[in-house]
Amino acid sequence: SVVSQWLDLVLPPDPALVGVARTMAVAAATVGRMEPARVHDLRTCVSEGVTNAVKAHRDAGVADAITLRVGIEEQNLIVEIMDHGPGLRREEVVVSAVEGTELAELAERGYGLTVMESLADALEIELPEDAGGTTVRLRFSLSGVPSNDGIAAG
């Protein structure tokens, strides 16, 4: 699966720049002819993801940039959000296994993973074993047909 072109946006960890990230993702979606309803979902996911990354950096006192990478791969729009925060602890990631109260607590702490997971066609989270940082990889189908089972297009 060859990616035709990646766009990289390197942002200081400033909440005021979340809109810039969102605009870039929407521009890529427009190029990929994504359906307007899905563009709304994409905007929400990018807002959540970049906000989480900014928060992770602020909480850790890290001034490093956050990278938003957007590309079109076959019939999918791929969005990657890379941060250099302390990284999500593994138990924070396994959202589906978390019971009610803890889930609410996670949501409150700004980890919009449940939101992103419900809106994207696929969500992958990469946690480097050694260094800090988290890469959240989102996939949105451009064909109008959801490519995974279990999540409807509408």
Side-chain angles (χ1 to χ4, degrees):
S1 58
V2 178
V3 174
S4 48
Q5 189 184 15
W6 285 106
L7 287 170
D8 279 21
L9 181 65
V10 179
L11 296 166
D14 182 345
L17 296 172
V18 172
V20 177
R22 213 169 33 220
T23 301
M24 187 178 99
V26 169
T30 306
V31 170
R33 303 209 167 105
M34 184 182 279
E35 296 167 34
R38 294 300 279 150
V39 174
H40 180 75
D41 293 343
L42 170 72
R43 281 174 61 102
T44 303
C45 286
V46 171
S47 291
E48 288 286 342
V50 176
T51 300
N52 291 350
V54 168
K55 193 170 179 297
H57 280 222
R58 294 233 153 160
D59 290 352
V62 175
D64 297 21
I66 290 155
T67 303
L68 174 74
R69 170 172 278 196
V70 182
I72 293 172
E73 190 176 271
E74 293 164 359
Q75 286 296 98
N76 297 295
L77 181 74
I78 307 294
V79 176
E80 289 182 351
I81 300 159
M82 289 161 265
D83 72 49
H84 301 278
L88 294 168
R89 291 199 310 279
R90 291 191 180 269
E91 61 269 23
E92 286 172 356
V93 173
V94 188
V95 175
S96 49
V98 175
E99 293 308 314
T101 50
E102 292 170 47
L103 191 61
E105 209 174 283
L106 281 186
E108 212 173 272
R109 286 183 49 203
Y111 289 119
L113 293 174
T114 40
V115 173
M116 292 191 280
E117 192 171 32
S118 66
L119 293 177
D121 288 313
L123 168 68
E124 290 167 28
I125 297 167
E126 283 174 41
L127 300 158
E129 293 295 332
D130 43 358
T134 306
T135 296
V136 175
R137 191 170 198 264
L138 300 157
R139 182 165 57 73
F140 291 85
S141 173
L142 291 171
S143 59
V145 181
S147 41
N148 73 341
D149 42 19
I151 297 177

